[in-house]
């Protein structure tokens, strides 16, 4: 079937230096030669650089200078498309989530005016329906869209191809799945999935659309090499972060620090452009929504927690509680990573083996649990009287029914009372964080409520991690961090009575510290935190807590994404070899796996039998000097060999210059495009 | 003399994988074997990675795990020291410059109360004295400290070692030279020199101090490999930017985007730490200065032009004038690069060949010219009446004598008048920029004054570029850019009358556009501009003008630092090969230069004669297979060979395992530590 595509030798040659595109339904598996599906992990390494074999050079020489210009123009056009696409996807997800959640809360608040029990049931049912739709999409349509997707993207950008992560169905599953899971109130965020969404859009553009769904366009299929595709996915990843946090510079840095191991300044420049496009698209959409076209989508949605009117300055006595926040962040973050490892391993080995039905039950159970806790716990909490309102302040207490904001009146006896636990728990996460970060609301939350919330939400976040729904870790991390940050803030305000200290500042630092302790990012996280809070003055403090929390966390384990990538069998190559590797030889590293090599000229039958006999993805091509010493002259990839075999080209008489350079010492060419 | 250091074979071996440290007085030159001094450019390439030869591996094996921990601890300690050192150097330079300049202006203003001529002469004389001290230091003590130093540091971090750029005397010359040149009012800045200063501090720490000045310490000399030293210099470079602009994140990104080609995430983490240390040191020093301990050092000094009270929002009609600013920035920036190329080439070929005396005359002449223009032109300009003062505004008109701020009363007939040209020209550059950026001062500057200033200052900046004083291009670039930005702002305010537009916003965008058009940085410049203006809301606009100005500039030539590096003969390797190189072979690239190879065993006399006969820095070591085919088994560097020859070790009986692996195919070891 594949051989239809190759009518002449040049087409074959072109594929010989490109990669076999991922087919949506794995058509090659039938032949039984593709090792990837039978492999435990199904991963394959990508080429870091363009394979400069004869076919490539010949094609390049034919193209000439005009083609170079065309190629550059297409790359920039793609960067523009990625920016627009990711921006629109982010807007769509945000508007949907905000509308579902807003409708849910306003309905529940209306019902509890009459009956708390009916409201409780309605709340549970709506959440359950949303989560069920999400988990159903994931299990039956797009299994690769579960989780945050960042470990997989990180793997891809570090040279590991995992089947299925960048397909069209994954994109669709990710978008609609995260609307359901986030709208359904689970303890997870939509930021990680947006990064994955951006990467999918980029990859699909790079392939010229989805072939399975007949959405492909031939003139866009200019990107044949792994490097070009990886560059596009890098742009998509940055666009995802830029869209999720409205942090264009943070997006560039995230792609740079967290995910990409090979980076060139040209790429930075293009990634920067993509992020700028996203910023423009999102701004236009937000401007359009301001005129009331987007329903409940208003102050929430895109996470911008503006605290620019908060604490202006800080004194040196405050550095001690801030360092404490950093240490707590490192400890809790490392604990979070460790617990999620156990949970993920347990899920993989016991629970998820039993099939999709169990995954659906599990997600629904967690949804009910989350609903019960977030509705029930505030009921047990006594309401507090509203503080004397500052005439200059715009903060209402209690907030008007249906509005966003602080001071939620929930199950309170009197009118001028509010329920501090409901303010953070019975709310969308965006609003809860806005309330936790809010300045000039000292003593809004009691230590007891914060501690209750911290313990419950931390547990929920750990338990929710790894269910079969799209799930980001940023927002839950910010929730957890800002809760203990605000706790430390309460103690600081009580202890240093004279200083102009704001609890909201400590909540922000707590959020940064937990993310630092869990994800172990530094520069990008720092810039993201500054961009989403719109406050540059706290930058040195954010740097401080990030440094401390990362250092503390590093004592215990690796970053969340690294740990998760390892659990999923994605081999991330570290930038420096481990200490034990210093004296290792290649022979020892191979262990008892025997390297299979190919001669320079091989019969088809032999090649097929070699391919069938093992699962290696690469075979060294070995020649011999005149006196019999073996010489490695290149590496033949299984995928390239498959293309050659399937296209049934007469190898011996192919148009390639198979012996144009032979006899010049150790470097020889083979017909097998040794690279 | 050098041979004293090597008492046993291990010491020799260690040096065989380290680099010959730069001697302050070039002691090896006497032997006549060092090619670098006789080379036209005197550049040598550094090793990107650690040379893993037998000596290295043996030493590593001896050290064990404890040494790894110790090494990491030392690296972090050095990062701390670099941060503290660079921060203190920045504070020292800033306090000195501000005091010299403040004293100069207050003295001049006092004298012109009585006589404008006497004030004029005093102003010229003080400037002349400061510039003379600077150029004298540079020409007679530290010639490598001239210019900004960023092209050289960029070269170093891309693997090119230029003799003299990281010496102790360069550091001293840079610090005191830039105090003189900036304090003397030339059209240059102190930011580029601060980057060089940071790099010098880092390099000296890495060498364990300066051997010539007996400031070295043996226990700090742990960094033998080029990679470790390069990492330190990267930290120093970031620290320099962080200190110059008080932009810690910008510093990290500058090091990342502009200077370093090989980057690892571990390094990012350490660079981030260094920048954070700088931020803390500078903050502590500023706090100390607030209590009046630092003389004239007050609002100025560190360039923070706070425009956080400026324009809040922007409308889409404004995007057109902003795009115009981007285009102007690209054109003027590219023109600046091109003009400085001509000026630099002319200086190198005609002027500076005539010796130090001419360099001193030249700098003094430019100083007098600058003084005459900056004092004289405002005299020719008529004063404007002060605007009706807004009661809520804190801006005084005219400003109090001796204070900083807008609305300078200079050669005005009446009390309630100010001279708009003097406000920007007869002022320190920091204050001038603050005035140009200032919000809520619409119509302060007339278009005529701005245009006059733009033309004069642009010319001065071009002429000053390349004189033998430390000279940064950031502040002049910001001056030029903010002038035409404000010009566009004036037209925009007049055209779109209804919108809440602030001329200061356009000045900021102009500054960003000129720097983008000249230096062609994107992300780091963006973050630096945001950090120095303390206004995140303009980030998307800054991104927009940077994208346009860089794209326009790229049509004409390369970035300022790349062009200057090429002029100075620093070969920067681009990340992708040029189009013509696609079909080039190594033989063609060599041209008529013959490669000289060494056999595996060579006599001392032959080695010396080969070294004397040419200027190559590396020699392939060639062996032959049994049937006579040549096999390249490694590369021997001239510097390593020199160390071996100088230390007079008995090569044949060295303790190294010269044949431990022989006979295993194409990989063999030689005594010459083939790497």
């Amino acid at each position: 079937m594949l051989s239809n595509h190759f009518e002449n030798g040049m087409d074959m040659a072109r594929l010989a230096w490109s990669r076999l595109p991922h087919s949506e339904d794995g058509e090659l598996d039938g032949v039984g030669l593709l090792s990837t599906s039978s492999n435990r992990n199904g991963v394959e390494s990508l080429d870091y650089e363009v394979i400069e074999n004869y076919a490539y050079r010949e094609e390049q020489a034919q193209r000439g200078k005009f083609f170079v210009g065309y190629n550059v123009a297409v790359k920039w056009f793609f960067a523009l498309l990625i920016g627009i696409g990711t921006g629109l996807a982010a807007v769509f997800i945000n508007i949907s989530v905000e509308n579902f959640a807003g409708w849910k809360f306003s309905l529940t608040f209306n019902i509890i005016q009459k009956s708390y029990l009916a409201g409780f049931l309605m709340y549970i049912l709506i959440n359950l329906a949303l989560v069920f739709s999400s988990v159903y999409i994931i299990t039956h349509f797009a299994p690769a869209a579960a989780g945050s997707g960042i470990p997989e993207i990180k793997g891809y950008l570090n040279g590991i191809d995992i089947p299925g992560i960048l397909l069209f169905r994954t994109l669709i599953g990710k978008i609609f799945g995260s609307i359901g899971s986030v709208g359904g109130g689970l303890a997870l965020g939509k930021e990680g999935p947006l990064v994955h969404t951006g990467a999918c859009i980029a990859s699909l553009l790079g392939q010229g659309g989805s072939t399975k769904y007949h959405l492909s366009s031939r003139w866009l299929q200019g990107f044949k090499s792994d490097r070009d595709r990886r560059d596009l996915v890098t742009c998509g990843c940055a666009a995802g972060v830029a869209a999720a946090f409205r942090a264009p510079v943070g997006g560039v840095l995230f792609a740079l620090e967290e995910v990409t191991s090979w980076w060139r300044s040209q790429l930075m420049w293009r990634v920067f452009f993509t992020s700028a496009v996203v910023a423009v698209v999102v701004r236009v959409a937000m401007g359009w929504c301001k005129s009331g076209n987007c329903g409940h989508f208003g102050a929430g949605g895109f996470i911008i927690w503006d605290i620019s009117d908060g604490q202006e300055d800080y004194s040196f006595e405050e550095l001690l509680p801030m360092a404490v926040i950093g240490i707590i962040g490192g400890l809790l973050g490392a604990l979070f990573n460790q617990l999620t490892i156990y949970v993920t391993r347990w899920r993989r080995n016991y629970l998820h083996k039993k099939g999709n039905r169990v995954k659906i039950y599990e997600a629904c159970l967690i949804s009910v649990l989350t609903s019960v806790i977030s509705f029930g716990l505030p009921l047990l909490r006594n309401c507090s009287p509203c503080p004397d309102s500052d005439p200059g302040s715009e903060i209402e207490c209690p907030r008007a029914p249906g509005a966003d904001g602080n001071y939620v009146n929930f199950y309170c006896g009197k009118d001028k009372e509010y329920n501090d636990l409901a303010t953070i728990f019975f709310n969308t996460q965006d609003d809860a964080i806005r309330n936790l970060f809010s300045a000039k609301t000292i003593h809004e939350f009691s230590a007891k409520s914060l501690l209750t919330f911290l313990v419950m939400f931390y547990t929920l976040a750990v338990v929710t991690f790894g269910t079969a729904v799209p799930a980001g870790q940023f927002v839950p991390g910010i929730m957890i961090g800002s809760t203990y940050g605000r706790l430390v803030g309460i103690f600081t305000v009580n202890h240093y009575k004279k200083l102009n200290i704001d609890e909201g500042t400590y909540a922000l630092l707590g959020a940064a510290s937990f993310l630092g302790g869990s994800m172990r990012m530094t520069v990008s996280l720092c810039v993201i935190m500054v961009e989403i809070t719109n406050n540059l003055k706290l930058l040195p403090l954010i740097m401080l807590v990030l440094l401390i929390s990362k250092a503390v966390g590093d004592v215990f384990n690796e970053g969340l994404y690294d740990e998760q990538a390892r659990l999923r069998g994605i081999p991330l190559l570290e930038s420096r070899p481990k200490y034990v590797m210093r004296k290792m030889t290649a022979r020892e590293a191979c262990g008892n796996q025997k390297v299979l090599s190919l001669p320079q000229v091989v019969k088809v039958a032999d090649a097929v039998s070699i391919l069938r006999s093992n699962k290696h993805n690469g075979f060294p091509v070995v020649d011999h000097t005149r006196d019999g010493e073996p010489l490695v002259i290149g590496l033949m990839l299984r995928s390239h060999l498959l293309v050659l075999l399937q296209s049934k080209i007469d190898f011996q008489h192919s148009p390639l210059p198979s012996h144009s350079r032979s006899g010049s010492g150790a470097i020889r060419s083979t017909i097998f495009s040794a690279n």
Side-chain angles (χ1 to χ4, degrees), chain A:
Chain A
M1 176 185 166
L2 203 74
S3 58
N4 306 343
H5 296 304
F6 313 111
E7 275 134 30
N8 59 51
M10 207 59 229
D11 265 351
M12 179 212 72
R14 199 173 303 141
L15 255 175
W17 56 261
S18 87
R19 178 162 298 280
L20 217 58
H22 271 305
S23 60
E24 298 263 342
D25 32 31
E27 46 194 84
L28 273 177
D29 283 359
V31 197
L33 293 173
L34 261 186
S35 74
T36 45
S37 59
S38 51
N39 233 346
R40 191 177 65 82
N41 305 324
V43 297
E44 193 184 348
S45 83
L46 298 164
D47 306 314
Y48 268 109
E49 282 294 314
V50 171
I51 302 174
E52 291 224 2
N53 56 18
Y54 285 108
Y56 175 77
R57 272 188 237 143
E58 198 150 304
E59 172 149 355
Q60 288 291 312
Q62 282 183 359
R63 296 263 164 110
K65 255 196 151 158
F66 171 73
F67 177 72
V68 176
Y70 168 77
N71 217 2
V72 170
V74 169
K75 280 179 185 175
W76 281 91
F77 180 63
F78 272 25
L80 177 72
L81 288 184
I82 293 169
I84 294 174
T86 312
L88 290 180
V91 170
F92 175 71
I93 293 177
N94 273 304
I95 291 179
S96 308
V97 167
E98 284 294 301
N99 272 309
F100 276 121
W103 173 72
K104 174 179 78 182
F105 278 109
S106 68
L107 189 68
T108 312
F109 268 106
N110 278 339
I111 295 177
I112 59 176
Q113 306 294 332
K114 294 159 197 157
S115 156
Y116 270 85
L117 186 65
F120 184 43
L121 289 178
M122 181 55 78
Y123 179 70
I124 290 179
L125 275 179
I126 297 173
N127 277 342
L128 193 60
L130 285 167
V131 172
F132 176 78
S133 71
S134 170
V135 70
Y136 190 84
I137 290 169
I138 298 302
T139 48
H140 287 77
F141 180 68
S148 87
I150 293 179
E152 285 87 355
I153 301 299
K154 187 171 178 176
Y156 184 86
L157 291 175
N158 284 279
I160 305 297
D161 196 6
I162 303 120
I165 57 156
L166 295 174
L167 299 181
F168 184 67
R169 59 161 68 201
T170 308
L171 170 65
I172 297 298
K174 207 91 200 184
I175 292 177
F176 288 95
S178 60
I179 292 173
S181 65
V182 177
L186 291 181
L188 42 78
K190 59 190 177 300
E191 284 67 33
L194 251 173
V195 176
H196 194 167
T197 303
C200 284
I201 291 173
S203 172
L204 289 170
L205 277 174
Q207 289 178 22
S210 165
T211 40
K212 187 172 181 191
Y213 299 98
H214 304 291
L215 294 169
S216 67
S217 155
R218 186 159 280 276
W219 68 273
L220 283 177
Q221 295 172 349
F223 296 101
K224 300 289 184 186
S225 73
D226 283 353
R227 196 183 60 183
D228 290 340
R229 290 210 189 124
R230 211 177 46 242
D231 286 358
L232 283 179
V233 173
T234 307
C235 286
C237 174
V241 177
F245 300 102
R246 290 191 70 190
V249 176
V252 177
L253 293 180
F254 180 83
L256 171 57
E257 183 181 2
E258 185 62 15
V259 293
T260 309
S261 49
W262 276 38
W263 188 266
R264 293 161 295 122
S265 60
Q266 290 156 309
L267 181 60
M268 188 164 205
W269 179 208
R270 212 154 70 227
V271 169
F272 190 74
F273 171 72
T274 314
S275 292
V277 171
V278 171
V280 171
V281 169
V282 171
R283 202 194 124 87
V284 171
M286 298 283 282
W288 184 70
C289 281
K290 261 189 190 162
S291 37
N293 297 315
C294 305
H296 285 276
F297 179 79
F302 282 100
I303 54 171
I304 290 278
W305 301 296
D306 200 320
I307 58 163
S308 52
D309 57 348
Q311 198 168 340
E312 282 286 307
D313 209 350
Y314 52 92
S315 56
F316 281 92
E317 292 102 313
E318 288 185 71
L319 291 184
L320 182 68
M322 285 165 185
V324 170
I325 287 180
I327 293 169
I328 298 176
L331 293 175
L332 287 185
L335 181 68
F336 185 81
N337 293 3
Q338 204 61 42
L339 291 175
T340 50
I341 290 173
Y342 297 142
V343 169
T344 310
R345 204 177 281 151
W346 178 77
R347 274 217 174 81
R348 197 182 60 196
N349 292 342
Y350 301 100
L351 208 60
H352 286 180
K353 273 190 176 163
K354 294 175 186 160
N356 284 340
R357 197 175 286 270
V358 173
K359 288 184 188 174
I360 295 177
Y361 287 152
E362 181 201 17
C364 293
L365 187 71
I366 290 175
S367 166
V368 173
L369 188 72
T370 310
S371 306
V372 169
I373 290 178
S374 64
F375 194 100
L377 275 186
L379 288 182
L380 303 176
R381 176 91 190 125
N382 293 327
C383 287
S384 324
C386 279
D388 301 330
S389 67
D390 185 3
S393 158
E394 291 168 11
I395 302 167
E396 268 187 274
C397 177
R399 70 172 194 200
D404 309 317
N406 284 284
Y407 301 112
V408 174
N409 183 315
F410 181 76
Y411 203 60
C412 293
K414 294 175 197 161
D415 257 8
K416 279 279 166 198
E417 281 190 341
Y418 72 100
N419 187 323
D420 63 344
L421 196 53
T423 304
I424 42 179
F425 224 151
F426 190 64
N427 214 335
T428 63
Q429 294 178 11
D430 281 350
D431 283 339
I433 294 172
R434 197 168 292 115
N435 296 342
L436 284 168
F437 279 3
S438 64
K440 294 166 191 151
T441 49
I442 286 179
H443 307 306
E444 175 178 358
F445 303 103
S446 68
K448 199 174 150 195
S449 291
L450 288 177
L451 208 59
T452 313
F453 178 73
L454 178 62
V455 172
M456 295 315 299
F457 194 83
Y458 194 94
T459 315
L460 281 178
V462 170
V463 171
T464 313
F465 187 97
T467 46
V469 290
Q473 305 310 318
F474 268 100
V475 168
I478 293 174
M479 293 279 275
I480 294 169
S482 52
T483 309
Y484 68 73
R486 190 123 189 160
L487 260 174
V488 174
I490 289 177
F491 288 111
T492 313
V493 169
N494 286 340
H495 192 260
Y496 304 109
K497 284 187 178 139
K498 290 181 189 169
L499 303 168
N500 172 28
I501 297 171
D502 208 299
E503 288 171 9
T505 310
Y506 285 80
L508 164 66
L509 294 178
S513 77
F514 187 80
L515 293 179
S518 170
M519 296 172 186
R520 313 285 159 81
M521 296 187 286
T522 50
V523 184
S524 53
L525 200 53
C526 198
V527 173
I528 289 174
M529 292 309 291
V530 166
E531 285 190 280
I532 59 178
T533 55
N534 223 336
N535 191 336
L536 259 170
K537 288 184 183 140
L538 300 178
L539 179 61
L541 300 179
I542 295 175
M543 289 177 94
L544 178 81
V545 295
L546 278 179
L547 279 165
I548 295 173
S549 67
K550 177 170 151 67
V552 170
D554 276 341
V555 173
F556 298 102
N557 46 31
E558 282 184 69
L560 182 68
Y561 298 132
D562 291 295
E563 296 280 11
Q564 289 298 319
R566 188 184 300 154
L567 274 182
R568 282 160 215 207
I570 302 164
L572 291 178
L573 206 60
E574 285 171 48
S575 57
R576 288 183 86 160
K578 284 201 163 53
Y579 185 75
V580 289
M581 290 180 191
R582 292 209 175 174
K583 291 189 219 163
M584 222 178 212
T585 61
R587 181 190 296 271
E588 287 163 20
C590 282
N592 45 14
Q593 286 243 306
K594 219 187 146 193
V595 176
L596 285 167
S597 63
L598 293 171
Q600 203 171 0
V601 178
V602 66
K603 285 182 189 161
V604 170
D606 295 347
V608 171
S609 92
I610 287 175
L611 286 176
R612 277 194 206 277
S613 71
N614 62 74
K615 291 172 182 170
H616 300 186
N617 276 323
F619 304 91
V621 179
V622 172
D623 196 9
H624 296 266
T625 58
R626 267 163 281 172
D627 59 336
E629 267 192 279
L631 277 177
V632 175
I633 54 176
L635 186 79
M636 187 72 206
L637 294 185
R638 177 182 285 265
S639 59
H640 293 174
L641 206 48
L642 286 177
V643 172
L644 293 173
L645 287 171
Q646 292 239 333
S647 57
K648 288 175 189 149
I649 298 292
D650 180 355
F651 299 149
Q652 293 290 328
H653 303 101
S654 88
L656 298 179
S658 65
H659 282 283
S660 63
R661 272 232 237 166
S662 64
S664 63
I667 303 160
R668 300 248 176 82
S669 72
T670 64
I671 191 164
F672 284 151
S673 68
N675 45 68

mmCIF file of all heavy atoms in Angstrom, chain A residues 517-532:
data_model
loop_
_atom_site.group_PDB
_atom_site.id
_atom_site.type_symbol
_atom_site.label_atom_id
_atom_site.label_comp_id
_atom_site.label_asym_id
_atom_site.label_seq_id
_atom_site.Cartn_x
_atom_site.Cartn_y
_atom_site.Cartn_z
ATOM 1 N N GLY A 517 9.632 23.379 43.802
ATOM 2 C CA GLY A 517 9.972 22.140 44.484
ATOM 3 C C GLY A 517 9.489 20.912 43.754
ATOM 4 O O GLY A 517 10.056 19.828 43.904
ATOM 5 N N SER A 518 8.449 21.070 42.940
ATOM 6 C CA SER A 518 7.926 19.915 42.227
ATOM 7 C C SER A 518 8.484 19.823 40.809
ATOM 8 O O SER A 518 8.983 18.784 40.403
ATOM 9 C CB SER A 518 6.401 20.001 42.198
ATOM 10 O OG SER A 518 5.869 19.048 41.335
ATOM 11 N N MET A 519 8.439 20.924 40.070
ATOM 12 C CA MET A 519 8.853 20.864 38.666
ATOM 13 C C MET A 519 10.315 21.184 38.458
ATOM 14 O O MET A 519 10.860 20.907 37.395
ATOM 15 C CB MET A 519 7.998 21.812 37.841
ATOM 16 C CG MET A 519 6.550 21.395 37.834
ATOM 17 S SD MET A 519 5.509 22.608 37.082
ATOM 18 C CE MET A 519 3.918 21.885 37.397
ATOM 19 N N ARG A 520 10.925 21.842 39.437
ATOM 20 C CA ARG A 520 12.369 22.156 39.407
ATOM 21 C C ARG A 520 12.762 23.029 38.230
ATOM 22 O O ARG A 520 13.859 22.892 37.691
ATOM 23 C CB ARG A 520 13.205 20.859 39.381
ATOM 24 C CG ARG A 520 12.792 19.819 40.377
ATOM 25 C CD ARG A 520 13.203 20.143 41.770
ATOM 26 N NE ARG A 520 12.390 19.399 42.714
ATOM 27 C CZ ARG A 520 12.605 18.127 43.037
ATOM 28 N NH1 ARG A 520 13.634 17.487 42.548
ATOM 29 N NH2 ARG A 520 11.819 17.523 43.897
ATOM 30 N N MET A 521 11.893 23.900 37.801
ATOM 31 C CA MET A 521 12.287 24.866 36.792
ATOM 32 C C MET A 521 12.745 26.120 37.513
ATOM 33 O O MET A 521 12.389 26.352 38.656
ATOM 34 C CB MET A 521 11.108 25.199 35.892
ATOM 35 C CG MET A 521 10.629 24.012 35.108
ATOM 36 S SD MET A 521 9.391 24.486 33.932
ATOM 37 C CE MET A 521 8.004 24.770 35.005
ATOM 38 N N THR A 522 13.510 26.932 36.862
ATOM 39 C CA THR A 522 13.964 28.146 37.529
ATOM 40 C C THR A 522 13.571 29.376 36.732
ATOM 41 O O THR A 522 12.635 30.078 37.086
ATOM 42 C CB THR A 522 15.482 28.120 37.746
ATOM 43 O OG1 THR A 522 16.117 27.779 36.526
ATOM 44 C CG2 THR A 522 15.852 27.129 38.803
ATOM 45 N N VAL A 523 14.297 29.636 35.652
ATOM 46 C CA VAL A 523 14.118 30.906 34.968
ATOM 47 C C VAL A 523 12.716 31.014 34.379
ATOM 48 O O VAL A 523 12.039 32.029 34.541
ATOM 49 C CB VAL A 523 15.174 31.069 33.864
ATOM 50 C CG1 VAL A 523 15.046 32.427 33.235
ATOM 51 C CG2 VAL A 523 16.547 30.900 34.450
ATOM 52 N N SER A 524 12.266 29.954 33.709
ATOM 53 C CA SER A 524 10.972 30.060 33.051
ATOM 54 C C SER A 524 9.859 30.211 34.076
ATOM 55 O O SER A 524 8.946 31.010 33.894
ATOM 56 C CB SER A 524 10.720 28.837 32.172
ATOM 57 O OG SER A 524 10.885 27.660 32.903
ATOM 58 N N LEU A 525 9.945 29.465 35.166
ATOM 59 C CA LEU A 525 8.924 29.559 36.202
ATOM 60 C C LEU A 525 8.887 30.959 36.797
ATOM 61 O O LEU A 525 7.824 31.535 37.047
ATOM 62 C CB LEU A 525 9.233 28.534 37.291
ATOM 63 C CG LEU A 525 8.098 28.135 38.188
ATOM 64 C CD1 LEU A 525 6.908 27.690 37.383
ATOM 65 C CD2 LEU A 525 8.549 27.009 39.086
ATOM 66 N N CYS A 526 10.069 31.481 37.003
ATOM 67 C CA CYS A 526 10.210 32.828 37.549
ATOM 68 C C CYS A 526 9.507 33.841 36.651
ATOM 69 O O CYS A 526 8.704 34.656 37.122
ATOM 70 C CB CYS A 526 11.705 33.099 37.586
ATOM 71 S SG CYS A 526 12.204 34.394 38.619
ATOM 72 N N VAL A 527 9.779 33.764 35.369
ATOM 73 C CA VAL A 527 9.178 34.713 34.434
ATOM 74 C C VAL A 527 7.677 34.477 34.337
ATOM 75 O O VAL A 527 6.891 35.429 34.290
ATOM 76 C CB VAL A 527 9.852 34.597 33.052
ATOM 77 C CG1 VAL A 527 9.136 35.441 32.031
ATOM 78 C CG2 VAL A 527 11.294 35.020 33.151
ATOM 79 N N ILE A 528 7.257 33.221 34.341
ATOM 80 C CA ILE A 528 5.821 32.936 34.278
ATOM 81 C C ILE A 528 5.116 33.524 35.502
ATOM 82 O O ILE A 528 4.076 34.173 35.393
ATOM 83 C CB ILE A 528 5.573 31.416 34.170
ATOM 84 C CG1 ILE A 528 5.998 30.900 32.795
ATOM 85 C CG2 ILE A 528 4.114 31.083 34.403
ATOM 86 C CD1 ILE A 528 5.915 29.401 32.645
ATOM 87 N N MET A 529 5.700 33.319 36.687
ATOM 88 C CA MET A 529 5.056 33.848 37.892
ATOM 89 C C MET A 529 4.958 35.364 37.829
ATOM 90 O O MET A 529 3.952 35.955 38.242
ATOM 91 C CB MET A 529 5.844 33.441 39.147
ATOM 92 C CG MET A 529 5.828 31.977 39.504
ATOM 93 S SD MET A 529 4.195 31.216 39.575
ATOM 94 C CE MET A 529 3.502 32.000 41.009
ATOM 95 N N VAL A 530 6.022 35.994 37.330
ATOM 96 C CA VAL A 530 5.988 37.454 37.242
ATOM 97 C C VAL A 530 4.940 37.894 36.229
ATOM 98 O O VAL A 530 4.188 38.842 36.475
ATOM 99 C CB VAL A 530 7.386 37.986 36.863
ATOM 100 C CG1 VAL A 530 7.305 39.437 36.446
ATOM 101 C CG2 VAL A 530 8.327 37.837 38.033
ATOM 102 N N GLU A 531 4.868 37.178 35.100
ATOM 103 C CA GLU A 531 3.925 37.602 34.063
ATOM 104 C C GLU A 531 2.476 37.389 34.492
ATOM 105 O O GLU A 531 1.619 38.208 34.170
ATOM 106 C CB GLU A 531 4.203 36.853 32.755
ATOM 107 C CG GLU A 531 5.439 37.361 32.042
ATOM 108 C CD GLU A 531 5.578 36.787 30.638
ATOM 109 O OE1 GLU A 531 6.042 35.652 30.525
ATOM 110 O OE2 GLU A 531 5.234 37.463 29.670
ATOM 111 N N ILE A 532 2.200 36.293 35.229
ATOM 112 C CA ILE A 532 0.799 36.086 35.577
ATOM 113 C C ILE A 532 0.372 36.955 36.748
ATOM 114 O O ILE A 532 -0.818 37.199 36.918
ATOM 115 C CB ILE A 532 0.455 34.601 35.885
ATOM 116 C CG1 ILE A 532 1.280 34.051 37.026
ATOM 117 C CG2 ILE A 532 0.584 33.750 34.666
ATOM 118 C CD1 ILE A 532 0.923 32.620 37.359
#
